[in-house]
Amino acid sequence: MTVMCARTVLILSVIEREMEQQPTVWRCFDVRFPPRPESVRAARGALETLHLPVALRETARLLLSELVANSVRHAGLGPNENIRV
């Protein structure tokens, strides 16, 4: 079951609105991180490789940080498992 808080839904709607205003460009972001707190910083660094517009980049950075941090804290992953974004 997927559970999303209101804040996450709001952030996703902002990203969708920003993407509608951008030229259509397909971007792929598929990375994996160990379930450790320092993975939040690593995920933000990986996001920079997409070269997103500033307004979208800030929103995406916040959403990604929340997703990775919540995965580290609440997913109960073992040391041999990864967070995949």
Side-chain angles (χ1 to χ4, degrees), residues 29-33 43 47 64 67-68 71 82-85:
F29 188 72
D30 184 9
V31 291
R32 295 179 178 133
F33 304 98
L47 184 66
L64 182 62
L67 288 172
V68 174
S71 294
N82 288 308
I83 299 165
R84 184 176 180 187
V85 180

Side-chain angles (χ1 to χ4, degrees), residues 11-39:
I11 292 169
L12 288 172
S13 67
V14 170
I15 289 176
E16 183 177 333
R17 199 173 33 226
E18 286 290 327
M19 289 304 291
E20 288 172 356
Q21 297 172 8
Q22 301 300 321
T24 301
V25 177
W26 292 98
R27 295 178 176 92
C28 182
F29 188 72
D30 184 9
V31 291
R32 295 179 178 133
F33 304 98
R36 298 190 303 251
E38 57 270 18
S39 293

Side-chain angles (χ1 to χ4, degrees), residues 8 11-12 15 58-68:
T8 302
I11 292 169
L12 288 172
I15 289 176
E58 295 301 319
T59 304
R61 184 180 296 143
L62 174 61
L63 177 61
L64 182 62
S65 296
E66 289 287 324
L67 288 172
V68 174

